[in-house]
Amino acid sequence: MVIQRYKDVEAILPTEQGVNGVTMRRVIAEKEGAPNFIMRVFEIEAGGNTPLHDHEWEHEVFILSGGGTVVDDSGEHEVKTGDVVFVPGGEKHQFKNTTDKPWEFICLIPV
């Protein structure tokens, strides 16, 4: 068993083109012995965003605090604290903090 404070895990600044004001913490991953899933905690500052992108794996997201919009091919969808988002593999998506407060969410992906 592994128990740790998520804020004690090193914050990584993603370097993909189109990223603005985003930090990520890999709080549960292979190094903790997790063979199937990676749990990440994202923080997006006010006005920040992830890039508009797609990939073969799914995302399962739980919004801890704040909110903003999630973009897909059908448009922009407002989300807030307590909402969950499922992004299927292969679907274009982007997370944009359209508020004046930080946005924090958990994102699970397969290893």
Side-chain angles (χ1 to χ4, degrees), residues 22 51 74 89 94 98:
V22 176
S74 69
Q94 180 181 38
T98 54

Side-chain angles (χ1 to χ4, degrees), residues 3-5 14 16 22 24 31 33-34 39 41 43-44 52 57 61 70 75 78 85 87 92 96 99 106 109:
I3 300 172
Q4 59 189 344
R5 304 277 308 163
E16 294 89 357
V22 176
M24 177 187 68
K31 69 181 177 59
M39 179 184 288
V41 177
E43 298 170 28
I44 304 179
L52 180 62
W57 58 89
V61 174
V70 179
E78 287 204 28
V85 179
V87 180
K92 281 200 179 296
K96 295 171 31 176
T99 75
I106 295 170
I109 60 172

Side-chain angles (χ1 to χ4, degrees), residues 46-109:
N49 59 270
T50 65
L52 180 62
H53 66 289
D54 64 357
H55 39 67
E56 64 185 50
W57 58 89
E58 67 189 53
H59 286 319
E60 297 172 6
V61 174
F62 180 85
I63 299 170
L64 295 169
S65 63
T69 60
V70 179
V71 180
D72 67 7
D73 286 337
S74 69
E76 296 192 3
H77 313 277
E78 287 204 28
V79 293
K80 62 187 180 310
T81 302
D83 288 345
V84 297
V85 179
F86 174 67
V87 180
E91 183 174 285
K92 281 200 179 296
H93 57 283
Q94 180 181 38
F95 296 85
K96 295 171 31 176
N97 186 342
T98 54
T99 75
D100 60 356
K101 294 184 172 42
W103 179 9
E104 194 169 50
F105 58 87
I106 295 170
C107 179
L108 298 174
I109 60 172

